[in-house]
Amino acid sequence: MKKCFLLLSLMLLAVYGSWAQPDLPNIATLSQGGINVLSWINPYTSGVKQVSIERSSNKDSNYVQVGTFAETSKPSQFFTDVNPLPGENFYRVVVYYNSGLDWKSNVVSMTVDSAEVAARKVTPNKDSLEHLVEQLGVVAPEKAEEIKYTPSR
């Protein structure tokens, strides 16, 4: 009886383990002059309602939405945080499906020197932001216009 229970338990573990949620592909990051840029390829473009970017100063909790993509048909996506928090910033991507499910990506960390934030007097123009994004190898600068940005709190 114990052997049957153990065998059944192992089979169930194998089945449920194979259905585990995969992570999004790695998120490429670049921090320059107090601006953080994140870039990734989202392989799930159908059935997606929205893609959001969340930020926290703590890896494990207190994430706040800082940007959204309503248009999700292109897999190459990026987000430019022109108002990061001084110190360590943790980011994750959340994919919201039409079915009501959501999917959180791996977490990436970027550190911003408070002196860089203080030295930046104006938000960079679109051309400067596109140049930063191109440094990550993203070939979709038109997406910058489609991002809804939520100011930092």
Side-chain angles (χ1 to χ4, degrees), residues 30-38 55 79-89 91 110-124 128-129 132 149 152:
L30 174 69
S31 185
Q32 185 175 15
I35 297 171
N36 292 342
V37 181
L38 295 85
R55 179 184 66 205
F79 173 73
T80 306
D81 189 354
V82 295
N83 293 309
L85 303 171
E88 195 159 20
N89 291 262
Y91 295 92
M110 301 174 75
T111 303
V112 177
D113 187 342
S114 59
E116 288 182 328
V117 174
R120 191 185 69 235
K121 298 195 180 3
V122 296
T123 301
S128 297
L129 294 176
L132 284 175
Y149 182 76
S152 300

Side-chain angles (χ1 to χ4, degrees), residues 73-145:
S73 64
K74 295 182 182 178
S76 178
Q77 299 173 336
F78 70 88
F79 173 73
T80 306
D81 189 354
V82 295
N83 293 309
L85 303 171
E88 195 159 20
N89 291 262
F90 295 93
Y91 295 92
R92 66 183 179 192
V93 177
V94 183
V95 178
Y96 294 96
Y97 293 94
N98 293 330
S99 66
L101 296 175
D102 64 51
W103 183 40
K104 293 175 179 69
S105 76
N106 51 319
V107 174
V108 295
S109 165
M110 301 174 75
T111 303
V112 177
D113 187 342
S114 59
E116 288 182 328
V117 174
R120 191 185 69 235
K121 298 195 180 3
V122 296
T123 301
N125 63 26
K126 184 177 182 261
D127 291 336
S128 297
L129 294 176
E130 286 179 2
H131 178 70
L132 284 175
V133 170
E134 288 171 2
Q135 288 181 17
L136 286 171
V138 177
V139 190
E142 69 274 8
K143 295 297 279 182
E145 293 299 313

